[in-house]
Amino acid sequence: DAGVIQSPRHEVTEMGQEVTLRCKPISGHNSLFWYRQTMMRGLELLIYFNNNVPIDDSGMPEDRFSAKMPNASFSTLKIQPSEPRDSAVYFCASSQNQPQHFGDGTRLSIL
Amino acid sequence: SQQGEEDPQALSIQEGENATMNCSYKTSINNLQWYRQNSGRGLVHLILIRSNEREKHSGRLRVTLDTSKKSSSLLITASRAADTASYFCATGPPGYSGGGADGLTFGKGTHLIIQP
């Protein structure tokens, strides 16, 4: 079975640019989560959706961050404008009455 | 703030030895989970222990939970080189049933190195 699919795997861009990260959850899962991982802060929950509806976005660091889930098979996390401190690995995870299943992440570098 | 804090931050042992990692948390929980992360990969769920359980086994893994001390331990027996990874404990908010409907709070992990 296909796991959670994230794209791109790596992204390098200059500060001020818009960045869009994409996630395809496991089919049939009704919860989707976005996390960010850095050496300093570890793994942080940014936002999560249940049945495509955002439930808790209190972890989103600033208004520069936004996330959408237009349907059950796709979600995006957008940063506009990007800043060097946004550099991190961003993970998407999904679940359906089971523990969370993670994608392999997007490694984002903002120069 | 981090709910779970793993101890030690790093652990290096010889293949075949047992590895023990500890996790402490701050608030009431419904369950506690352990995840593994290999370098450059996403987290993989290992085991979930509910607040009314004291010990749980899965293959070479043994997890204990002491709710009075707000702590958990993960024991990996007969370690293998393939066990080299970072290990994280994670908790959901009170009332979280493990059904996946709430986000998790992770500790910063224990980096385990198994030397051949």
Side-chain angles (χ1 to χ4, degrees):
Chain A
D1 288 341
V4 175
I5 299 172
Q6 292 186 244
S7 64
R9 287 297 314 274
H10 303 274
E11 175 91 7
V12 180
T13 191
E14 293 185 349
M15 65 177 295
Q17 298 297 308
E18 178 179 293
V19 173
T20 300
L21 311 182
R22 297 172 174 79
C23 175
K24 178 178 171 57
I26 293 172
S27 178
H29 284 188
N30 68 342
S31 296
L32 183 140
F33 310 84
W34 283 100
Y35 293 90
R36 177 173 69 176
Q37 186 176 39
T38 61
M39 289 294 294
M40 289 297 295
R41 300 177 65 86
L43 200 65
E44 303 172 281
L45 175 67
L46 300 178
I47 185 172
Y48 70 94
F49 299 81
N50 282 344
N51 298 312
N52 311 339
V53 176
I55 302 301
D56 183 358
D57 65 354
S58 60
M60 297 285 262
E62 299 173 31
D63 291 344
R64 298 183 296 105
F65 286 68
S66 63
K68 293 183 179 180
M69 192 165 186
N71 57 63
S73 60
F74 184 65
S75 177
T76 60
L77 177 68
K78 186 175 294 186
I79 308 172
Q80 167 63 21
S82 58
E83 297 182 4
R85 59 188 167 135
D86 302 331
S87 298
V89 181
Y90 291 80
F91 288 102
C92 175
S94 71
S95 66
Q96 173 63 45
N97 295 323
Q98 294 290 335
Q100 295 178 18
H101 299 257
F102 283 73
D104 281 336
T106 294
R107 182 172 295 275
L108 178 64
S109 296
I110 308 297
L111 306 177
Chain B
S1 62
Q2 296 292 329
Q3 165 73 312
E5 293 291 339
E6 289 88 347
D7 167 51
Q9 291 187 349
L11 179 62
S12 179
I13 61 174
Q14 295 293 319
E15 193 168 21
E17 295 180 339
N18 296 341
T20 299
M21 289 158 274
N22 303 297
C23 167
S24 60
Y25 57 92
K26 299 175 183 176
T27 64
S28 297
I29 61 170
N30 186 284
N31 65 75
L32 185 143
Q33 303 180 43
W34 284 91
Y35 285 77
R36 183 188 74 226
Q37 184 179 31
N38 290 92
S39 180
R41 304 298 300 274
L43 280 74
V44 174
H45 179 261
L46 296 175
I47 195 166
L48 180 153
I49 186 166
R50 302 189 188 284
S51 59
N52 61 352
E53 298 176 308
R54 292 295 168 260
E55 186 172 310
K56 197 164 184 178
H57 297 255
S58 177
R60 294 184 296 112
L61 305 181
R62 172 179 170 255
V63 170
T64 62
L65 179 64
D66 186 334
T67 54
S68 67
K69 296 181 179 179
K70 290 187 169 59
S71 67
S72 173
S73 67
L74 171 67
L75 169 67
I76 303 174
T77 60
S79 63
R80 305 168 182 170
D83 295 328
T84 294
S86 292
Y87 292 81
F88 297 86
C89 66
T91 57
Y96 172 69
S97 64
D102 290 300
L104 298 175
T105 300
F106 287 85
K108 288 195 174 181
T110 292
H111 184 52
L112 176 65
I113 298 173
I114 308 299
Q115 312 227 11

